[in-house]
Amino acid sequence: MNGLQTHAWVRGKGPPLVLVPGLGCASWMYVRVSRELSRERTVYVYDPPGHGFSQGRRDYPRSIEDLTDHLAQWLVECGLNCAPLLGHSLGGEVVFDLAARYPTCTSALIACAPTGIPENPSVTMQFLRLLRDLPHERLPLLLPALSAYSVSGPALMLRLATDQSQHDTGPLLSRVRVPTLLLDGDLDYVIRSWTVRDLRRAIPDALVKTVPGGTHALTDSHPKTVARYTLDFLNRVEAHTRSGDAGAVFPA
């Protein structure tokens, strides 16, 4: 894509589901949740440019919009436009951005511990919240996470985190028109429950599910619960689509 080799790890059989990682994260950090999801879906664990096995450039990606534009082009190139998207952390903000700016590129969103709140914290606040969350994450996630962060590098992560603090999601969220599920871990110190409630108010007809004991990396700490909520939600969306009632509200 745009001269850059783009990687996705594919597993499972069934309808497609694309997983979009968080800031500095890589496909190998999502083994546990992708294994559960692949029982019913063909899961594409996508590496954004400059992340994981995907190439980036010294000055690219520069912003969240760059990540969104690249993902939209990749979906079309791979024949995955209209596939549902599961975004974790910053990946949640990216899929919100995509659904608003490229409304034909996805059919449903699942956002796990998503950023993209109307009030975005400063880079310093983001870092402090992450430090508070780390002791609650699974120890076996530490090495894969450090490996992923070293691949992305501090310059890219700082550039995207800075853009995130300035990214105006307010107008975008009201333009998200596909069925949306928000997953909130009640032990997440990075994205607190009040931020998820704000997202719920901003996105028309969004559904919120709380994962008891879920940390910020709830895709790793509670993969079975995340997968079950996700698969049940997508099955309901697709059932409504087949019945010609795709715009139905999904009550909490």
Side-chain angles (χ1 to χ4, degrees):
M1 300 304 307
N2 297 324
L4 298 174
Q5 183 175 357
T6 302
H7 169 267
W9 178 36
V10 187
R11 69 187 306 168
K13 293 182 180 180
L17 171 64
V18 178
L19 198 158
V20 183
L23 175 62
C25 299
S27 51
W28 57 77
M29 294 175 61
Y30 297 90
V31 172
R32 285 161 60 83
V33 71
S34 64
R35 182 186 298 124
E36 298 299 327
L37 291 165
S38 67
R39 300 180 191 278
E40 297 183 24
R41 297 272 163 172
T42 301
V43 183
Y44 295 76
V45 190
Y46 160 84
D47 279 326
H51 294 67
F53 295 113
S54 290
Q55 294 177 331
R57 290 193 295 268
R58 186 183 185 92
D59 63 341
Y60 179 88
R62 301 172 302 277
S63 65
I64 292 171
E65 287 194 356
D66 283 344
L67 295 177
T68 304
D69 294 343
H70 188 276
L71 174 59
Q73 293 175 40
W74 180 84
L75 289 169
V76 172
E77 184 70 20
C78 294
L80 292 169
N81 49 309
C82 291
L85 306 177
L86 189 159
H88 170 242
S89 193
L90 181 66
E93 188 164 353
V94 170
V95 302
F96 294 150
D97 196 55
L98 183 138
R101 294 174 52 225
Y102 297 93
T104 63
C105 272
T106 185
S107 56
L109 304 181
I110 302 94
C112 298
T115 62
I117 58 177
E119 175 269 322
N120 280 329
S122 66
V123 174
T124 301
M125 182 59 69
Q126 293 179 53
F127 181 68
L128 292 175
R129 288 181 179 180
L130 182 61
L131 287 180
R132 188 178 180 190
D133 182 77
L134 282 176
H136 301 277
E137 301 294 353
R138 283 193 332 118
L139 190 58
L141 182 63
L142 181 59
L143 286 180
L146 290 176
S147 175
Y149 295 157
S150 67
V151 169
S152 296
L156 172 61
M157 294 177 66
L158 179 60
R159 188 162 66 239
L160 292 176
T162 301
D163 182 68
Q164 180 188 1
S165 68
Q166 302 165 355
H167 189 221
D168 186 5
T169 58
L172 291 171
L173 294 173
S174 64
R175 289 160 51 194
V176 174
R177 297 300 181 186
V178 296
T180 300
L181 172 64
L182 308 174
L183 296 181
D184 174 31
D186 64 3
L187 288 183
D188 185 350
Y189 290 95
V190 179
I191 303 298
R192 305 313 302 265
S193 292
W194 69 264
T195 65
V196 177
R197 289 195 297 269
D198 276 359
L199 286 170
R200 166 66 183 85
R201 286 190 288 267
I203 299 175
D205 301 329
L207 169 66
V208 176
K209 290 290 187 180
T210 299
V211 179
T215 60
H216 186 60
L218 75 168
T219 51
D220 179 81
S221 64
H222 290 71
K224 291 181 182 293
T225 304
V226 168
R228 191 70 266 149
Y229 281 151
T230 296
L231 295 171
D232 288 349
F233 174 73
L234 292 178
N235 289 337
R236 290 174 62 192
V237 170
E238 289 164 3
H240 278 75
T241 300
R242 288 192 296 269
S243 70
D245 192 21
V249 174
F250 292 85

